[in-house]
Amino acid sequence: MAKLRISEIFTSVQGEGQWIGVPSVFVRVSGCNLRCVWCDTPYASWHPEGPVREVDDVVAEVQAQGVRHVVVTGGEPMLFEPTVELVAALQSKGHIITIETAGTVDLPLTPQLFSISPKLSHSAPEGEWHDRHEAARWRPEIIKAMMQRATVQFKFVVNPDHPSDDWAEIDAMLAQLPPVAPDSVFLMAEGRDAALLHDRERRLVPEAIRRGWRIAPRLQIDLFGDTKGT
Ligand code: SF4
């Protein structure tokens, strides 16, 4: 029987990307191959928490919510083979699946939407994880494979207060991929506080207009603050 470590399952509204505001069940798989310095879910990456659960049990809990959209997130859900079984079981019951991933590992599954968040250089931590993180965070061949199988959106976490040139990095990444529709590129300010996020989002607007990219608010922070389970 396939099992996954699950840090949390909760029902809320999607806070980010093209399905913002859509009622959704979130299944957060615990464990990640990256260690972003500003990770907003360290309980699923730096310090993975949660019980190891049978996939059937997870599917039953999701179904009990009575909500059609399911967001399989992490951590990095594409790191774990049983995610294939989880997604197949949910799709067979009519659920619409978004996979939230950094796009560095692949599995033979096809969600309705891959929400891919490639990590820029300002994500790198110091210390023992630095080199591993840097070696793993950008895998264009993985993203290309995802683009061939499903609809994708890109969410780039950007920080206008960081000295790195986020725009040059995003341009260099997109140049290595097949053409990406500008309105499938979302810019998310880095931060876990509404006032800070709004300030940074405002400063991203001119570049978003210039490039035709979208500003992606974090609705969950606006509505609930930096609170687990929202
Ligand atoms: S990829 Fe996501 S879950 Fe993993 S460390 Fe980075 S922000 Fe956290």
Side-chain angles (χ1 to χ4, degrees), residues 91-133:
Q91 287 178 317
S92 74
K93 297 180 186 307
H95 289 286
I96 296 171
I97 307 296
T98 299
I99 299 271
E100 294 186 334
T101 174
T104 63
V105 281
D106 204 3
L107 288 171
L109 55 80
T110 302
Q112 276 72 17
L113 177 68
F114 274 123
S115 183
I116 305 172
S117 182
K119 298 302 184 282
L120 305 182
S121 62
H122 61 62
S123 66
E126 294 184 351
E128 61 177 322
W129 263 94
H130 178 274
D131 291 353
R132 243 172 107 178
H133 178 93

Side-chain angles (χ1 to χ4, degrees), residues 29-121:
V29 179
S30 201
C32 190
N33 58 332
L34 303 183
R35 291 293 185 276
C36 300
V37 66
W38 38 252
C39 180
D40 57 358
T41 55
Y43 50 91
S45 60
W46 286 90
H47 311 289
E49 298 174 355
V52 176
R53 297 180 57 177
E54 295 194 352
V55 166
D56 286 355
D57 178 40
V58 174
V59 171
E61 183 169 339
V62 169
Q63 282 210 278
Q65 309 297 308
V67 171
R68 193 164 177 224
H69 277 256
V70 179
V71 181
V72 180
T73 187
E76 177 50 80
M78 298 294 279
L79 199 54
F80 305 102
E81 186 73 29
T83 299
V84 176
E85 190 171 318
L86 173 66
V87 169
L90 291 170
Q91 287 178 317
S92 74
K93 297 180 186 307
H95 289 286
I96 296 171
I97 307 296
T98 299
I99 299 271
E100 294 186 334
T101 174
T104 63
V105 281
D106 204 3
L107 288 171
L109 55 80
T110 302
Q112 276 72 17
L113 177 68
F114 274 123
S115 183
I116 305 172
S117 182
K119 298 302 184 282
L120 305 182
S121 62

